[in-house]
């Protein structure tokens, strides 16, 4: 009965916004248009991120730039930091001037041009830097606004809203997985500019399928309304319900908890974002990636399954969407179908190429698919664990996440103990990197979705946008610090050891976790009933 009432309220909400009321797997078809648009954007971002540091530190003889690790990490830190800082400006621009739809399209076009520019890096380094700049600006326009559109597809009281965001999150991880896998493979095995360019091709497909399907969103994402229209919109969606005024002391206490969690997130992402930096350096120079005998055969089969599985799953979702909207939005479905046929062809080509290759060499970028793979396989288990077995307070969950990301680096520290002091290369088992990514992902599931939830629950309604802005700003700071700290890998390895470097990285989030656990009883009281 509750489910039926919820469906009725959702249908009414869609009608009020002029949104197509066709449903796919119990959710608005429009959600899946956003799903594929975001998937291709994440494909482009993570495909490029998987290549960036590896390309910069690769020898000139292999068409890289032969930068030092410290130089590469500095650029990586600036790039990823600005990627998370510009959404603040992109959200403000969309709110005041363009609306979400135009901001998304402009951002997608800008990122496509960025990839095209990076693909021309062989002609001049200026194309590479211009491409990075365009990627940063495009991401700022795209990222905050597509997430906002997802939330507006549902009424505030809809129990399907969280599930809608979960589906959207799966699109993010499917894109991250395929981008790291295919762009990384083609960039390393065929040519860097092909990898950079491929990411842009699918960003372009994502832009086109969104452009030709944008009417499915009704008025959501259109240009900002006048003040009178905004008031009417709020009455339509919120009714006459007034937001409860909370005592000033309660608001202050909750904002203190929000601030503590935001600062704690910096320690988490400082460690977590080593994935594209020092962990990439470790994968390239210190990990045994050339496999032989049964190890090579096992890897080929595992890699083949990992390549095909997400393609099959997302193709199934596309088939469901096409059956509902192909008559109204044929061009959207055509572009999405062409993109998936292209991805499938690339996937089968990659598998065939590896099975017929004389030597089996794991790409550096391959390890970055593990985070997305573990998220997809573990997310539902974590959700059920919090719901049915143990559901501690937000600060305790954060502490657990910080400890887990630290444990991942302790695993790397243990695995790298055999590396001599100051060694430039080594051949450590890839098991340690796989273990590290496993622990990092379990930590992410304790911090990232939990953090977003608590930002929403603890913040006063009128400050939610600002608080989320600070959350992303913290990620920007963490990414910049990740680049700086990762750049110390050579210096610490020369003075002490590679194992010591990873212990230091592990110590930062674990120390923050211990402080959170110490103050968690007080923080729980300051949340005043929010759990």
């Amino acid at each position: 009965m509750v489910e039926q009432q919820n469906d009725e309220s959702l249908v009414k909400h869609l009608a009020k916004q002029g949104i197509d009321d066709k449903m796919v797997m119990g959710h608005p078809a429009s959600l899946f248009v956003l799903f594929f648009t975001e998937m291709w954007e994440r494909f482009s971002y993570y495909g490029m991120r998987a290549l960036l540091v590896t390309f910069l530190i690769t020898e000139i003889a292999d068409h890289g730039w032969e930068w030092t690790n410290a130089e590469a990490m500095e650029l990586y830190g600036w790039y990823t930091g600005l990627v998370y800082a510009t959404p603040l400006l992109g959200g403000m621009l969309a709110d005041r001037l363009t609306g979400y739809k135009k901001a998304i399209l402009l951002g997608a076009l800008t990122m496509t041009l960025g990839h095209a520019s990076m693909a021309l890096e062989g002609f001049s380094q200026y194309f590479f830097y211009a491409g990075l700049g365009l990627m940063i600006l495009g991401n700022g326009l795209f990222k905050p606004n597509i997430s906002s559109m997802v939330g507006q597809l549902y009424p505030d009281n809809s129990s399907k809203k969280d599930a809608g965001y979960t589906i959207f999150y799966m699109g993010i991880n499917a894109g991250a997985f395929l981008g790291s896998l295919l762009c990384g493979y083609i960039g390393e095995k065929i040519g860097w500019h092909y990898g950079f360019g491929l990411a842009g091709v699918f960003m372009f497909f994502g832009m086109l399928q969104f452009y030709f399907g944008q009417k499915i969103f009704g008025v959501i994402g259109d240009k900002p309304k006048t003040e009178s229209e905004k008031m009417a919109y709020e009455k339509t969606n919120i009714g006459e319900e007034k937001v409860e005024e909370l005592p000033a002391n309660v608001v202050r206490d909750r904002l203190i908890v929000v601030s503590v969690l935001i600062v704690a997130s910096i320690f988490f992402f400082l460690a977590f974002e080593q994935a594209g930096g020092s962990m990439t350096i470790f994968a390239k120079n210190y990990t045994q990636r050339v496999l032989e005998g049964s190890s090579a055969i096992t890897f080929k089969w595992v890699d083949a399954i990992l390549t095909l599985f997400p393609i099959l799953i997302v193709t199934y979702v596309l088939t469901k969407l096409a059956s509902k909207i192909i008559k109204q939005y044929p061009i959207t479905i055509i572009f999405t179908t062409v993109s998936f046929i292209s991805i499938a062809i690339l996937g089968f080509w990659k598998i065939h190429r590896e099975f017929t290759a004389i030597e089996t060499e794991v790409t550096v970028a391959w390890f970055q698919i593990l985070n997305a793979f573990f998220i997809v396989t573990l997310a539902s288990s974590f959700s059920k664990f919090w719901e049915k077995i143990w559901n501690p307070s937000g600060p305790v969950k954060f502490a657990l996440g910080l400890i887990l990301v630290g444990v991942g680096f302790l695993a790397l520290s243990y695995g790298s103990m055999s590396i001599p002091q100051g060694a430039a290369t080594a051949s450590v088992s890839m098991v340690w990197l796989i273990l590290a990514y496993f622990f990092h992902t379990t930590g992410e599931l304790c911090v990232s979705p939990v953090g977003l939830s608590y930002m929403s629950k603890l913040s006063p309604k009128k400050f939610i946008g600002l608080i989320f802005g600070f959350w992303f700003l913290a990620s920007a700071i963490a990414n910049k610090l990740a680049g700086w700290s990762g750049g110390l890998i050579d210096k610490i390895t020369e003075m002490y050891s590679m194992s010591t470097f990873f212990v230091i990285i592990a110590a930062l989030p674990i120390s923050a976790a211990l402080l959170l656990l110490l103050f968690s009883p007080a923080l729980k009281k300051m949340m005043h009933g929010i759990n």
Side-chain angles (χ1 to χ4, degrees), residues 288-293 295-297 299 359-362 430:
Q288 175 59 40
R289 294 183 291 110
V290 177
L291 305 178
E292 297 175 346
S295 297
I297 294 170
F299 175 79
E359 183 181 69
T360 300
E361 182 178 9
V362 182
M430 57 192 288

Side-chain angles (χ1 to χ4, degrees), residues 309-331:
F309 185 70
I311 295 174
L312 293 173
I313 293 296
V314 182
T315 300
Y316 170 77
V317 176
L318 173 58
T319 304
K320 288 284 189 181
L321 177 64
S323 68
K324 297 290 185 178
I325 70 168
I326 192 166
K327 290 182 180 178
Q328 291 83 3
Y329 307 98
I331 301 179

Side-chain angles (χ1 to χ4, degrees), residues 292-520:
E292 297 175 346
S294 59
S295 297
I297 294 170
T298 301
F299 175 79
K300 286 176 182 179
W301 279 106
V302 169
D303 182 56
I305 293 168
L306 288 176
T307 301
L308 294 178
F309 185 70
I311 295 174
L312 293 173
I313 293 296
V314 182
T315 300
Y316 170 77
V317 176
L318 173 58
T319 304
K320 288 284 189 181
L321 177 64
S323 68
K324 297 290 185 178
I325 70 168
I326 192 166
K327 290 182 180 178
Q328 291 83 3
Y329 307 98
I331 301 179
T332 287
I333 296 300
I334 287 170
F335 277 118
T336 310
T337 301
V338 168
S339 64
F340 266 94
I341 291 173
S342 303
I343 283 288
I345 291 171
L346 285 173
F348 280 111
W349 165 81
K350 171 182 168 292
I351 291 168
H352 177 264
R353 191 174 187 273
E354 283 302 294
F355 270 97
T356 56
I358 297 173
E359 183 181 69
T360 300
E361 182 178 9
V362 182
T363 62
V364 176
W366 184 86
F367 295 97
Q368 292 191 42
I369 74 170
L370 296 171
N371 175 241
F373 170 72
F374 286 135
I375 279 183
V376 171
T377 54
L378 296 174
S380 61
S381 298
F382 266 73
S383 179
K384 289 175 183 175
F385 182 79
W386 300 137
E387 184 181 344
K388 297 182 178 179
I389 299 176
W390 183 47
N391 191 25
S393 66
V396 173
K397 287 178 181 175
F398 259 59
L400 181 59
L402 286 159
I403 290 170
L404 287 168
V405 78
V407 169
F409 281 105
L410 290 178
L412 283 177
S413 176
Y414 181 80
S416 60
M417 287 178 70
S418 61
I419 299 175
Q421 181 181 348
T425 59
S427 295
V428 172
S429 170
M430 57 192 288
V431 168
W432 301 109
L433 264 176
I434 295 170
L435 266 178
Y437 274 105
F438 172 79
F439 284 115
H440 288 187
T441 304
T442 56
E444 182 186 6
L445 289 169
C446 295
V447 170
S448 199
V450 171
L452 292 172
S453 175
Y454 275 86
M455 294 303 109
S456 177
K457 290 190 287 189
L458 291 170
S459 304
K461 292 291 182 185
K462 60 183 177 181
F463 292 144
I464 284 181
L466 181 64
I467 296 301
F468 273 104
F470 280 120
W471 173 264
F472 284 114
L473 185 60
S475 294
I477 294 168
N479 274 271
K480 182 66 185 79
L481 290 173
W484 171 79
S485 56
L488 299 174
I489 187 170
D490 288 341
K491 189 173 182 180
I492 294 173
T493 300
E494 289 170 9
M495 292 179 64
Y496 303 100
S497 67
M498 178 68 69
S499 183
T500 302
F501 170 78
F502 286 127
V503 165
I504 293 170
I505 298 295
L508 295 171
I510 290 175
S511 299
L514 295 176
L515 286 173
L516 267 182
L517 289 173
L518 181 64
F519 291 105
S520 63

Side-chain angles (χ1 to χ4, degrees), residues 85-100 103-104 137 139-146 148 222-225 230 465-470 472-473:
T86 50
L88 284 171
L89 300 175
M92 290 169 60
L93 184 68
D95 284 339
R96 298 178 182 180
L97 293 174
T98 64
Y100 299 138
I104 290 168
L137 293 173
N139 183 81
L141 287 166
F142 187 100
K143 190 172 180 63
N145 298 311
I146 195 166
S148 297
D222 286 345
K223 268 192 173 184
K225 299 172 171 51
K230 284 181 180 178
L466 181 64
I467 296 301
F468 273 104
F470 280 120
F472 284 114
L473 185 60

